[in-house]
Amino acid sequence: MASIDFPSPKRTAPAESRRPLYTPAERARRDRTVWTLVQGILAPLQFLICLVSLTLVLAYLSTGSGYAAAAASVVVKTFALYAIMVTGSIWEKVVFGRWLFAPAFFWEDVVSMGVIALHTAYLVMLVAGIGTAGEQFAVALAGYAAYAVNAAQFVLKLRAARLQGGSGGQGAPMRAEVPA
């Protein structure tokens, strides 16, 4: 029997030799633009909306009451997501010269697209009357789980940027779904 040779795993370069999250010019643009502040306000607001909505959805699923409040909260969460994604895209264009998928935030943007798809699927199901309330909320909860993954990506990016930028939070990315 022939053996299969698998390539050995690539070693990652030490953190010091990796490209910093921001070049000095990108950092300057990030620090100058109002969109950094907008992202810094919308991110914790969206996180709070998500927590309230999650509570309402889980309460509905466990008790069977409060459907209107739960459904409305998912709609509000979805529009908060749209707002932060549109402004985040503008932020990315100002800082990196690309509307989306700048190398520094490529994987965060990829996961964000999944988050948007799930939230949009919920809206389509709600408006078109597709599925039961439980099925609709299952899609919303999947969107919330994807949002949690995406938020974790941004928190880790924020931490890495702060470590690269030294003291005073000089490297804070303030982009898209970063929760408080």
Side-chain angles (χ1 to χ4, degrees):
M1 180 169 213
S3 67
I4 300 173
D5 291 328
F6 293 100
S8 62
K10 293 182 180 180
R11 299 197 185 272
T12 57
E16 300 81 47
S17 67
R18 287 188 218 148
R19 180 194 185 276
L21 187 59
Y22 300 103
T23 66
E26 291 165 347
R27 184 181 308 266
R29 288 190 299 269
R30 181 210 62 206
D31 293 345
R32 261 194 328 262
T33 183
V34 68
W35 297 108
T36 300
L37 176 62
V38 170
Q39 291 291 286
I41 292 168
L42 288 178
L45 178 62
Q46 181 187 202
F47 185 70
L48 178 63
I49 292 168
C50 184
L51 291 179
V52 170
S53 182
L54 179 62
T55 301
L56 292 170
V57 169
L58 292 177
Y60 169 77
L61 291 173
S62 66
T63 67
S65 64
Y67 171 79
S73 74
V74 179
V75 171
V76 169
K77 165 65 173 80
T78 301
F79 282 104
L81 172 67
Y82 291 162
I84 204 163
M85 287 306 300
V86 168
T87 59
S89 180
I90 295 167
W91 178 90
E92 208 163 320
K93 177 68 173 168
V94 169
V95 174
F96 296 104
R98 299 176 77 160
W99 289 104
L100 281 172
F101 304 109
F105 286 95
F106 179 83
W107 289 109
E108 290 80 3
D109 288 347
V110 167
V111 175
S112 292
M113 294 301 111
V115 174
I116 289 172
L118 287 164
H119 281 70
T120 302
Y122 171 81
L123 286 184
V124 169
M125 291 176 76
L126 179 68
V127 170
I130 298 169
T132 65
E135 291 166 340
Q136 292 171 359
F137 285 137
V139 171
L141 291 174
Y144 288 11
Y147 164 74
V149 168
N150 200 220
Q153 286 179 297
F154 282 104
V155 167
L156 292 172
K157 187 71 59 134
L158 175 67
R159 184 179 181 280
R162 284 192 175 155
L163 290 173
Q164 285 177 354
S167 63
Q170 293 293 318
M174 298 310 297
R175 162 70 173 89
E177 272 117 314
V178 181

